[in-house]
Amino acid sequence: LALSSRNYLLNRNDLEIAKNISKKFFLIKKEIKQNKNIKKFLLDTKVYLQKKFRIKIEYLELRNEKNLKVSNKIKGSKLFIAYYLKNIRLIDNI
């Protein structure tokens, strides 16, 4: 779970959900390596996560670490995420 002062706005149950979402994001970063169509994989993953955790994802993107442009390559990129959990916006990059 990303360190943020916004975490104090979450109750214990919501923190547990956020922790599980964070774990899933790390798995996504590993799973993305096995997919040839990264854009489709991320879109499908976004839909899955929104349904499973009942969250609204603002963005779920793979971006180049140096220039922050959207990327289709794993190497030199990070996964950027912003989502709402009970109207609280949480962000992370992995």
Side-chain angles (χ1 to χ4, degrees):
L1 183 60
L3 295 176
S4 171
S5 59
R6 295 176 190 180
N7 293 345
Y8 294 110
L9 301 172
L10 300 172
N11 64 34
R12 188 173 290 188
N13 185 51
D14 293 337
L15 279 171
E16 189 65 29
I17 292 169
K19 182 177 90 174
N20 289 332
I21 292 169
S22 184
K23 285 180 183 179
K24 184 63 179 167
F25 288 149
F26 280 98
L27 290 174
I28 290 167
K29 180 75 178 205
K30 290 180 182 179
E31 291 172 1
I32 205 169
K33 294 175 184 177
Q34 284 86 35
N35 287 275
K36 292 181 181 178
N37 188 339
I38 293 172
K39 188 174 181 177
K40 182 178 179 346
F41 172 75
L42 290 176
L43 182 61
D44 292 345
T45 300
K46 180 179 175 180
V47 170
Y48 165 78
L49 292 171
Q50 290 182 127
K51 287 180 182 179
K52 178 172 176 63
F53 294 107
R54 297 181 184 159
I55 58 175
K56 178 174 179 357
I57 297 177
E58 187 175 329
Y59 58 82
L60 175 61
E61 302 170 331
L62 191 66
R63 291 190 169 262
N64 182 287
E65 291 176 347
K66 293 183 180 177
N67 61 21
L68 297 179
K69 290 183 180 181
V70 175
S71 177
N72 287 322
K73 297 180 181 177
I74 307 305
K75 189 173 183 178
S77 297
K78 285 190 168 204
L79 190 61
F80 285 78
I81 302 127
Y83 66 96
Y84 289 88
L85 178 61
K86 305 261 178 112
N87 296 322
I88 299 167
R89 186 174 185 258
L90 302 171
I91 60 174
D92 204 350
N93 60 73
I94 302 167

